[in-house]
């Protein structure tokens, strides 16, 4: 059974850093792109970027380029989303999701979500 | 970036009724459109991709149609478990974008 299990909720102050994770199981992790999606009440769902764990090829939505870093570690079948300097506007629910091979650009399995709260 | 506009904002129907949800793209995306269902407190679930292909395990009560800029998701006979928010996503142009969602309520 394909599963994506995300790390728990995080609370940080503006300017701090954080790295959240997404562990895949039940499939060959290296062979599927994994993406990150942000959800907020104001903007809804936003695609942030994707990574191919097999070679760490990474693509970003221009709106998020330079704001976050997506990475993956094949050896522990885990993808990561990292911020170096958080803003209050980063407060959101973040999902990781596997990319469907048939389209290369839609998400067939999703993690349970990680709530990030940034507040002073 | 392609803007997706979904309508209506909320759909309130009784079990057994037919639900028709619309998604309009700001530019031609051919048939590169997907639909997701998000039940309360859950992650989104892929229903349809390529405008009309059902994802694995999705009941044939869900069907998709359209092309170019106008797309439709139809739920043939509503069941109580269909409540939630439905999102369209385009992948014809980067960055991939989502609509704002249509909330389906069951009377």
């Amino acid at each position: 059974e394909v599963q994506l299990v995300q790390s728990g909720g995080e609370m940080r102050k503006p300017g701090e850093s954080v790295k959240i994770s997404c562990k895949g199981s039940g499939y060959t992790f290296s062979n599927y792109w994994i993406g990150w999606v942000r959800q907020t009440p104001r903007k809804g769902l936003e695609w942030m970027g994707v990574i191919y764990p097999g070679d760490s090829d990474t693509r970003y939505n221009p709106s998020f380029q330079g704001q976050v870093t997506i990475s993956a570690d094949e050896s522990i079948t885990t993808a990561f989303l990292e911020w170096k300097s958080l803003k209050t506007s980063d407060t959101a629910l973040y999902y990781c999701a596997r990319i469907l091979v048939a389209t290369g650009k839609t998400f067939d399995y999703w993690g349970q979500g990680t709530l990030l709260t940034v507040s002073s | 970036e392609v803007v997706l506009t979904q309508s209506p904002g909320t759909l309130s129907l009784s079990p057994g009724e037919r639900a028709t949800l619309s998604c309009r793209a700001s530019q031609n995306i051919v048939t590169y459109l997907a639909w997701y269902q998000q039940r309360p407190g859950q992650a989104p679930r892929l229903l349809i991709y390529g405008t009309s292909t059902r994802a694995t395990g999705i009941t044939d009560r869900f069907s998709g149609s359209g092309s170019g800029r106008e797309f439709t998701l139809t739920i043939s006979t509503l069941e109580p478990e269909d409540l939630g928010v439905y999102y369209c996503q385009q992948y014809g142009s980067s960055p991939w974008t989502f609509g704002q969602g249509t909330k389906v309520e069951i009377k």
Side-chain angles (χ1 to χ4, degrees):
Chain A
E1 177 197 5
V2 174
Q3 283 195 309
L4 296 172
V5 178
Q6 297 185 228
S7 50
E10 300 277 4
M11 292 190 68
R12 292 285 190 276
K13 291 180 165 47
E16 292 185 342
S17 63
V18 71
K19 193 173 188 177
I20 63 175
S21 66
C22 167
K23 182 171 176 61
S25 62
Y27 71 100
T28 305
F29 184 77
S30 303
N31 293 353
Y32 288 79
W33 290 83
I34 289 242
W36 288 93
V37 176
R38 182 171 80 174
Q39 186 169 34
T40 60
R42 193 169 82 87
K43 292 192 174 183
L45 295 167
E46 299 172 278
W47 166 63
M48 301 176 71
V50 290
I51 188 166
Y52 189 76
D55 61 7
S56 294
D57 187 6
T58 310
R59 316 279 170 85
Y60 292 94
N61 178 334
S63 296
F64 293 92
Q65 179 92 44
Q67 308 304 308
V68 297
T69 302
I70 293 171
S71 60
D73 185 337
E74 285 183 90
S75 67
I76 54 172
T77 66
T78 301
F80 301 95
L81 179 62
E82 182 177 19
W83 292 258
K84 290 283 168 51
S85 181
L86 287 160
K87 308 179 185 67
T88 55
S89 57
D90 293 319
T91 294
L93 182 58
Y94 292 89
Y95 290 104
C96 65
R98 194 184 77 165
I99 293 286
L100 176 69
V101 171
T103 63
K105 299 171 185 177
T106 55
F107 305 98
D108 62 351
Y109 287 91
W110 293 65
Q112 81 278 19
T114 295
L115 181 62
L116 173 63
T117 305
V118 184
S119 173
S120 55
Chain B
E1 132 176 347
V2 176
V3 176
L4 298 177
T5 303
Q6 292 188 240
S7 61
T10 302
L11 202 50
S12 186
L13 295 167
S14 299
E17 289 193 296
R18 183 184 191 89
T20 302
L21 288 68
S22 295
C23 177
R24 174 175 291 179
S26 61
Q27 55 189 264
N28 186 349
I29 54 170
V30 195
T31 57
Y32 297 118
L33 189 97
W35 291 94
Y36 298 83
Q37 174 196 60
Q38 187 173 31
R39 291 172 170 152
Q42 295 186 16
R45 175 173 73 138
L46 179 65
L47 298 175
I48 300 274
Y49 61 91
T51 295
S52 59
T53 302
R54 277 185 294 277
T56 302
I58 301 302
T59 171
D60 60 6
R61 294 188 299 105
F62 291 95
S63 62
S65 62
S67 67
R69 294 180 57 204
E70 300 281 347
F71 301 86
T72 301
L73 175 71
T74 302
I75 310 173
S76 58
T77 48
L78 265 177
E79 296 193 2
E81 64 262 29
D82 296 333
L83 80 98
V85 181
Y86 290 77
Y87 297 95
C88 53
Q89 178 219 338
Q90 69 80 23
Y91 52 101
S93 171
S94 185
W96 316 333
T97 51
F98 293 85
Q100 83 281 12
T102 290
K103 185 175 183 179
V104 172
E105 297 178 340
I106 309 296
K107 288 181 184 174

